[in-house]
Amino acid sequence: MTPATLRASWASRTIAIVALVFYGLGVALVAFWPSPVDQGARPLILRGLALLHRRGIPESFDYAALEFAANIAFFVPFGLIVVLLVGGRRWWLGVLVGFSGSVVVELGQHFFLPSRFATVDDVIANTAGALLGSIAGVVALWARRSSRMARRRAQLERRRSRERVGASA
């Protein structure tokens, strides 16, 4: 891949800025809600897990595993947005900013929200999510570039074909 392949475009930056505003508000609401966001839903979640276990999902996929997976999924957009802002060559910034943001959230919960629990596992899961999002951002930028290059090749081929038809006439 060339450096241009992973460059953030004006369009990707615009999309990322809008997404960052909405995503940031969502993260702030979930992360700093006074009580755990799943507090009232725990019985429903446990029933859903029991249903999944009856359908063949291993028993080891329990409430803790679901929560860990949810924390990963929660930070995937974070890494994606950062890569769309800065470009794929600096994909690691998505991971670094995701890690830093997660530490800030966990420290905020620890010091200011007595009913919330700050854990190292959450930081690990959130950072893994930011990594996956960063990878997705690199793939998206690469795919955009590949698609653009394919369109340009097709246009060039059509132009050459028209020139050959015009020259033979």
Side-chain angles (χ1 to χ4, degrees):
M1 285 186 247
T2 65
T5 304
L6 301 177
R7 196 171 292 142
S9 67
W10 177 86
S12 75
R13 285 187 184 111
T14 303
I15 291 167
I17 289 169
V18 171
L20 184 60
V21 169
F22 288 105
Y23 176 72
L25 288 172
V27 167
L29 277 173
V30 170
F32 296 111
W33 198 257
S35 60
V37 292
D38 61 349
Q39 186 175 24
R42 188 175 179 100
L44 180 64
I45 293 169
L46 291 173
R47 282 197 305 269
L49 283 170
L51 175 68
L52 290 174
H53 295 152
R54 287 192 302 272
R55 306 239 184 229
I57 299 295
E59 294 284 331
S60 61
F61 188 76
D62 57 2
Y63 194 87
L66 177 64
E67 184 179 21
F68 192 81
N71 277 315
I72 291 172
F74 192 51
F75 265 64
V76 168
F78 203 87
L80 175 64
I81 290 168
V82 171
V83 169
L84 292 179
L85 280 171
V86 302
R89 290 182 56 122
R90 290 187 241 141
W91 65 268
W92 51 270
L93 280 173
V95 179
L96 180 64
V97 173
F99 169 76
S100 302
S102 181
V103 168
V104 166
V105 164
E106 295 301 313
L107 288 174
Q109 288 178 351
H110 177 73
F111 289 114
F112 302 112
L113 299 170
S115 64
R116 300 292 299 266
F117 304 100
T119 67
V120 173
D121 284 351
D122 285 354
V123 174
I124 292 167
N126 294 342
T127 304
L131 172 63
L132 291 174
S134 295
I135 292 168
V138 169
V139 169
L141 291 174
W142 176 81
R144 178 186 53 88
R145 171 74 175 177
S146 296
S147 173
R148 187 181 310 143
M149 294 302 293
R151 281 193 306 272
R152 286 182 184 163
R153 282 192 296 274
Q155 287 172 345
L156 182 60
E157 186 58 37
R158 283 192 298 272
R159 190 176 308 130
R160 287 179 181 160
S161 178
R162 283 192 298 263
E163 289 171 359
R164 282 192 296 265
V165 168
S168 65

